[in-house]
Amino acid sequence: MKKAHLLWTLLAVCLFVPNLLWAKNYVISTAKTSLVLRTEPGKRVDFVYYGSRIDRVNDIYDTRSAVNWNAYPVFGTNCRAEHALAVTHANGDLSLELETVKVESYKDEKDGGNVTEFQLRDKVFPFYVKLFYKTYEDSDVIKTWTEYSHKEKSDVVLRKFASAYIPMLANDYWLSYLAGQQNSESDLYEEPINRGRKMLGDHDGTRNAFKTHASFMVSQGRPQENSGNVFGGTLAWSGNYDISFVRDYSHGRLEITAGMNPEMSHYYLKPNEVFTTPEFIFTYSTEGKSGVSRQFHRWARNHQIIDGTKTRDILLNSWEGVRFKVNQEGMDKMIRGISELGGELFVMDDGWFGDKYPRNDGTSSLGDWVLCREKLPNGIDALINSCEERGIKFGIWIEPEMVNSKSELYEKHPDWVVRQPDREPTPGRGGSQLLLDMCNPKVQDFVFKVVDDLLQKHPRIHYIKWDANFSANNVGSYYLPKDRQSHFYIEYHRSLQKVLERIRAKYPKVIIQLCASGGGRLNYGLLPYFHENWTSDNTDALQRLQIQWSVSMFYPSNVIAAHVSRSPSKGANNPSSLKFRFDVAMTGRLGLELRPETFSESEKLFAKRAIETYKGIRDIIQLGDIYRILSPFDKENLYSTQLFATPKKDRAVFFAFCPYYRRNQPTPALKMAGLDPNRNYRIRELNPLNPQKPASINGKVVSGRFLMEQGVVLQWEKGDRQSAVLELTAE
Ligand code: DGJ
């Protein structure tokens, strides 16, 4: 062969072979799932497959000829399709068409995830997009997010900027999602996804889990707890969001697009600035909705929640006991009460602060985070001492993003509130609550200082409850430039995260509870800074059974604060026994929300025993695997059941609730799930009303297979709201 010819051949091979290697499927796998994307230089990224793990990629049938499987569709050259991204370029052009430049894979040493990064650019404009997919092997979870940047002559306006686009193909889709409002958070809705567009979304501005949650599951066929193929997704963002489900008209494809809500949030991206979307987290299970939950829980504990693999303390919170009527005597009684019951922590809620304006109700004082000496003359340290003398820890409530117009802070800084300059702001709670403008770095410093001052002065504060009781009602920022007001919704939450990062850098150990008028802020965007979430201000055990059930679809039990309160609880006329209330609360992070000094002797004894019992099983409940069985939302069920098991399946706790008793109702055998069919379990009844007369199954040793296939028949007394808890220990 001639020298020149050889050189040309070599050159061709060098240029051509990498391309050949490039035109390939990227198989992004976890232990049990695979996501397959395909691309080559100069081409878009195609979405090929997501589901159970596939090792032999060649076997994947290429559906691209039938449907348009774009992994990240953009507005511009197929304007009728769903799009994840839409922009206005510096020159006014609206179009985008992305091509792959490079693909990289690497490990994120911080959290152990494996990242595949697709680097794309527009075919015409210097506009760049990066798609990230990070896998968590241990939990079968994938995180995806997107980055944009450009080198155009002036700003590019981002008009839609979704974190993720997931197409899927099945015959029958069912959506399960949570919706509600304060005191009835997290109702579970399940419905078929038919043709058209279904939206989950929120534009409250500060709290995004009231209308709907940014979490959902899509089942193929009617959703089942312990069987069936289910996709689960959740957007890790605390601000306004938009998740759409569009059923394709011709091929039955379902398109899911999830990201920040772009409404009134168009973003002016400067040349070279990088815009990063929130993370969308998804998983897939062939073991039904509970399977998806277990995967989310494992991932959240291992990677997304502070101290996620640790159990939480049993606490008493003062709110329902005394509300704003905080005083020395009342606090002392509660401290004594919870320590005598065997609790581990006391939390003083709202009502402890305000000097010039003491906090006696919701009308004043937010912003003035100084102790109200009138109410607590001995100071916070005396309360901490009193806790420590009794062997428990101390926690305190704050609402640092808010201010009342009747406060010293507002008198000094009226321009720190979220409002429009030419209108009077519409206040919230108490007719005077306003939101501080987190976009303003001075406000960020102030909010940081609220926590910093408290912890500097009282380093023995072990726990903080961080509340947020108002929306962004009068959107307008004195700090943001006039032509950047549309950045408010995004900047607010980015700034909040910045402050939380500063707090966590300095105080990584302090337990912080996430609260927003109950569970209004439950999302995986904020949980990396918090240990747990206040699930709802509704502590009525009957409704809590439902609320905690649906929250458990996405969040593990060590995040679900569940408190026993008085009966009937405020706002609900559903009296229930102390046992029922304890049994319901024990499916989450157990706490109390009442005045123990009002207990009778027998109630004290019961509560003490229950707390002791919980200590012995809380690792199974808070850190174990959940198997929801009979749903409290299902009107067909007379009972509601769930089981928590250790991953080794050597210990488990089974909960059975009978919310409404019906005379002569059939008492079916209640089947368990999640046990080892080949092991025998010794059964012990927990929290029996009369320890001398436990259920007849107490002490029996029964095979796991029997318990799952045949079930247990429990004896129920007459009357509403009964429950039984069984501990199972493998022999
Ligand atoms: C709303 C919270 O959800 C309650 O638990 C309580 O902390 C109040 N705020 C206090 O104002």
Side-chain angles (χ1 to χ4, degrees), residues 319 349-350 359 397 429 465 467 469 515 517-518 534 537:
W319 177 244
D349 208 282
D350 200 349
R359 173 83 164 171
W397 176 96
R429 188 185 192 191
K465 174 172 174 178
D467 207 344
N469 292 301
C515 171
S517 314
W534 179 226
D537 274 346

Side-chain angles (χ1 to χ4, degrees), residues 182-183 185 210 317 319-320 323-324 349-351 353 359 361-362 366 397-399 429 433 465-469 513 515-520 534 536-538 563 593:
Q182 183 177 16
N183 287 318
E185 290 93 338
F210 273 145
N317 177 296
W319 177 244
E320 285 200 31
R323 301 221 165 223
F324 293 104
D349 208 282
D350 200 349
F353 55 95
R359 173 83 164 171
D361 52 33
L366 293 175
W397 176 96
I398 51 172
E399 194 180 358
R429 188 185 192 191
Q433 181 157 339
K465 174 172 174 178
W466 180 304
D467 207 344
N469 292 301
Q513 184 191 64
C515 171
S517 314
W534 179 226
S536 174
D537 274 346
N538 185 344
H563 294 182
E593 191 94 19

